[in-house]
Amino acid sequence: MELDPTEMQAVVKRLRRAQGQIGGILKMIEDGRECQDVVTQLAAVSKAVDRAGFAVIALGLRQCLSDPEAAGSMDVEQMEKLFLSLA
């Protein structure tokens, strides 16, 4: 199933922000920052990536429900499997 690129812009924005956070984490490690600071930032980027994944699944569900007969459309079982892969 191909997702609507226009609707994916929010996901792209979230992932670009996470990409910047990862760069910041690498610099923190190279600079010898405190463990607590590094872990806090790792938790933040992990949450951002998880939220992006859930947003993609939500968009896919909306598209499947609006046009279940579309070519490449996923069934409920496939969507459930994707959802659970993020848990």
Side-chain angles (χ1 to χ4, degrees):
M1 167 181 44
E2 188 173 319
L3 298 172
D4 181 353
T6 303
E7 294 193 46
M8 289 293 292
Q9 286 304 309
V11 173
V12 169
K13 185 177 180 180
R14 184 182 300 274
L15 289 173
R16 289 199 193 285
R17 193 174 319 127
Q19 184 179 31
Q21 285 177 296
I22 291 171
I25 293 167
L26 289 169
K27 181 152 177 37
M28 290 172 72
I29 293 169
E30 292 169 349
D31 293 346
R33 295 278 300 271
E34 294 290 325
C35 175
Q36 183 177 355
D37 296 337
V38 172
V39 171
T40 298
Q41 291 305 308
L42 284 168
V45 76
S46 177
K47 186 173 182 177
V49 171
D50 287 346
R51 285 169 108 25
F54 287 121
V56 169
I57 290 173
L59 177 59
L61 281 172
R62 281 196 308 272
Q63 283 185 215
C64 283
L65 291 174
S66 68
D67 190 5
E69 302 302 318
S73 193
M74 299 178 77
D75 63 24
V76 173
E77 186 177 314
Q78 291 171 308
M79 292 303 293
E80 181 179 345
K81 187 175 180 179
L82 282 176
F83 180 81
L84 291 174
S85 74
L86 293 175

